[in-house]
Every structure is written in structure tokens, then in C-alpha cells.
Amino acid sequence: MNFVSELENVATKDLRELESCVEDAIKEDSFIYEACAPLINGGKRLRPVLFLLCAGSTGTCPIKSALPLAVAIELIHTASLVHDDILDNAKKRRRVETTNAKYGSQVAVLVGDYLFAKAFQIVAEGNYGREVSETLSKLVKNLCVGEISQDRNLFKIPEMSEYYERINLKTAVFLATCCRLGGIIAGMDKKEIDDLTAYGNGLGLAFQIIDDVLDFFGDEKVTGKALGGDLKSGVITMPVIRALSVSDESEVLRDIVTRRDISDSDVMDAIEIIRNTDAVEYCKMRADGHVDSARVNLPFLMKTSTGLALEQIADFVVDRTW
């Protein structure tokens, strides 16, 4: 069950239609559909749902006009996941084989490229205008910059400011863009659009921090990913940064996380060291702070069922287990 179905049915009908449209968008080639289907037919749909909620909040944008852009947003997200899995050499996502594990990295690169191209084809055909196209193009550019920065700094311990810069480019900017695009096509004024963007940015920072906690302490059967995946890939996140600053075993942890041949037992040792600190509580405190900041930025006009849904999404982001 997708979490949006719990939001007092605000977006449930739109979500069902979105699911059908996303699937239809990749059916033109049977092999590509087969390669993408496991990723397309799963996930939270957080990004397109944020967009649809914001786009529909003023009642001026019909769902028929918004849906193609929502589909493009989900395809861009899926493309980024396909490329992420190649870089991380990930074998599973959402409890199924990744595209690169099943078909090899060369095919996976092309599948990701196809999804990006398909997304921009949909946007072009929708005639959404220059501002929407520029906003989406800037989003993809920032996703790439974030990935390049991360890849160039694997197995290196970042400053907290460097960590924030990375998660801003990889996650927060995406959620902020979804909210911004919704405000744009809903015809909101600049102040309201900027407020929505700030809401999405705070939400995105919190989302990624909780994601990084779940990488160490989530239930693999629920998250669909193996514990310590980031650590094995050399990606050092907030729980590690915090533990390194307060643990009596910080030197042992430092040796593990900067080691390029991390074993499963190393991962478990790192998790135990992190567990014996306040790292999880610290991360949740940071995430709660970002969500509180996000809520403050909800425009006054959204103190409606849509605004309530966006507040519930904020609650979900910090309380989620997947």
C-alpha cells in the first residue's frame, strides 16, 4: 500500500491514474519495459505526489494537464536510481534485482538515459513552457553534480557541511523542484512558489537523513536493501559523521569506513559502534528540525485538505521505516 492512500484520499485517485500513465509511458519497447518494470512498479511516488498536491491546490490546474509532468518527474527519479545502482554496484532495490545486476552496466546506462530522454519528450509534448523546462533541466544537472561529487569523495570522511551540500544536490533539490513545479503550473505568485520550494527543500533534507539512518538500522525486508549498502560503496553519511565525533571507538570506526574492501563483518562492527552512540537520536533530531522548518513554509492558502496532506507527508518522512 502506498503511503499516499492514507492521506485522507486527497491524492489517491490521482495516484491510481499516475500509476497507469507511468506504465504506459515505457511500454513502447518491450525490452525496456521489462528492464524498468520492477522499478516503475514500486516505490513511494513521493516526488510526483508532492507535485500533484501542489499543482491541484488552487483548483486552477486540471489533473489531465498535470499528469504528464508528474509522469516525467517519476521517470527522472527512476533514471537516477538506475544510474545510482550502477555507481554503487547494487544488486537489489525494492527487493528485486537491479537493472545492472540483471542485464549488466552497459544496458543499465542506456536504460537510464532512455528514461531521462522519455521524460523530456513528455515535457516537450506537454507544452509546459520555458520555466518548467529550465527548472527540470537544472534539476537533472544538479543530480549529476551531486553524484559526481559523491563519486569523487568515496571512502573519505566529509565535514558536516560537505555532507549537507551532497544531500541537498541529490535529494533536497529534487523534492523542492517537485513542489516548485506544482506551484508554477497552479499559477501561484512568486512568494507562494518560493515558500513551497523551501517546504520541499526542508522535507528533502529530512528524507535523506532518515534514509541514511535506515541504511544502518532499517529492516531489510521492509526497506528492500541490504544494511550498510552506503558504507560498502564508500558513501559516508550523517550517522557515521556523528559517531566519529563522539565515540570512544572513533579510530576503529574511521579505519572501517575508509577501508575499500569492507566485509560484512566490518559493516556489523561499524553498526555496533554507531549504535553505542547517540548518532540515531542526533540524526532524528536534525531531521525533525528540517521538517519543522518545512512546515513553517507552507503557504497560507494551503491550510486546506492539501496543506493537511503535505503536513502528513512531513510526518511520514521522519517516522517512516521504508
Side-chain angles (χ1 to χ4, degrees):
M1 179 69 71
N2 192 289
F3 78 95
V4 177
S5 64
E6 299 172 14
L7 299 179
E8 298 187 353
N9 295 319
V10 172
T12 307
K13 180 182 177 182
D14 296 346
L15 180 64
R16 285 197 295 267
E17 194 165 353
L18 170 69
E19 297 286 352
S20 176
C21 291
V22 169
E23 189 168 336
D24 288 345
I26 61 169
K27 276 189 172 178
E28 61 188 1
D29 183 283
S30 60
F31 175 76
I32 290 174
Y33 176 75
E34 179 185 326
C36 295
L39 282 177
I40 291 294
N41 295 325
K44 306 172 189 68
R45 299 289 189 259
L46 176 59
R47 291 155 184 82
V49 165
L50 282 172
F51 163 74
L52 288 172
L53 285 169
C54 295
S57 61
T58 61
T60 60
C61 178
I63 183 64
K64 185 177 180 181
S65 299
L67 265 176
L69 187 47
V71 171
I73 287 168
E74 184 63 16
L75 292 183
I76 288 171
H77 175 52
T78 303
S80 72
L81 296 182
V82 172
H83 285 171
D84 270 353
D85 289 338
I86 298 167
L87 293 170
D88 297 342
N89 195 28
K91 304 301 180 187
K92 287 286 183 74
R93 182 181 287 275
R94 299 172 184 167
R95 295 175 290 281
V96 297
E97 271 190 304
T98 57
T99 307
N100 54 293
K102 191 169 183 179
Y103 300 104
S105 294
Q106 290 178 313
V107 169
V109 167
L110 295 172
V111 167
D113 290 348
Y114 168 88
L115 291 171
F116 278 129
K118 184 67 179 181
F120 280 97
Q121 177 190 347
I122 291 170
V123 173
E125 291 172 349
N127 294 314
Y128 288 103
R130 178 174 177 174
E131 187 175 9
V132 167
S133 296
E134 287 181 347
T135 301
L136 276 178
S137 298
K138 187 175 180 181
L139 166 64
V140 174
K141 180 199 73 173
N142 284 328
L143 290 174
C144 293
V145 170
E147 282 291 355
I148 291 168
S149 174
Q150 177 174 290
D151 192 63
R152 286 173 60 83
N153 291 283
L154 296 178
F155 300 100
K156 296 178 183 177
I157 299 167
E159 298 293 332
M160 192 66 79
S161 60
E162 294 171 326
Y163 166 80
Y164 265 105
E165 182 179 357
R166 185 177 77 215
I167 69 170
N168 182 62
L169 288 169
K170 288 195 61 183
T171 305
V173 166
F174 205 152
L175 270 60
T177 296
C178 293
C179 296
R180 185 172 195 84
L181 288 170
I184 290 170
I185 73 165
M188 294 184 186
D189 63 33
K190 182 179 184 304
K191 173 65 164 58
E192 291 165 341
I193 291 171
D194 288 345
D195 286 346
L196 273 183
T197 304
Y199 162 83
N201 190 263
L203 195 72
L205 293 174
F207 184 92
Q208 188 58 57
I209 291 169
I210 295 301
D211 219 45
D212 293 341
V213 170
L214 292 175
D215 186 65
F216 287 105
F217 301 105
D219 183 337
E220 294 182 41
K221 293 180 181 177
V222 177
T223 64
K225 296 186 287 186
L227 288 181
D230 285 340
L231 207 62
K232 285 189 173 182
S233 300
V235 180
I236 297 174
T237 57
M238 185 180 282
V240 175
I241 297 170
R242 176 61 179 176
L244 284 169
S245 70
V246 298
S247 175
D248 292 336
E249 299 180 89
S250 60
E251 289 308 312
V252 177
L253 181 59
R254 183 181 300 273
D255 177 64
I256 291 172
V257 301
T258 56
R259 192 183 302 160
R260 291 184 175 270
D261 55 345
I262 298 177
S263 66
D264 290 340
S265 63
D266 289 333
V267 171
M268 297 313 296
D269 288 343
I271 289 175
E272 187 62 26
I273 293 172
I274 295 168
R275 194 188 301 274
N276 288 332
T277 71
D278 68 347
V280 173
E281 292 77 13
Y282 175 84
C283 291
K284 289 185 175 179
M285 177 192 70
R286 286 264 192 161
D288 284 337
H290 292 305
V291 161
D292 289 342
S293 297
R295 285 195 182 95
V296 169
N297 284 291
L298 283 175
F300 176 75
L301 65 85
M302 302 190 77
K303 300 302 182 182
T304 59
S305 59
T306 300
L308 177 61
L310 292 173
E311 290 196 6
Q312 288 179 297
I313 287 176
D315 290 335
F316 164 80
V317 161
V318 291
D319 294 333
R320 67 195 176 93
T321 57
W322 62 296

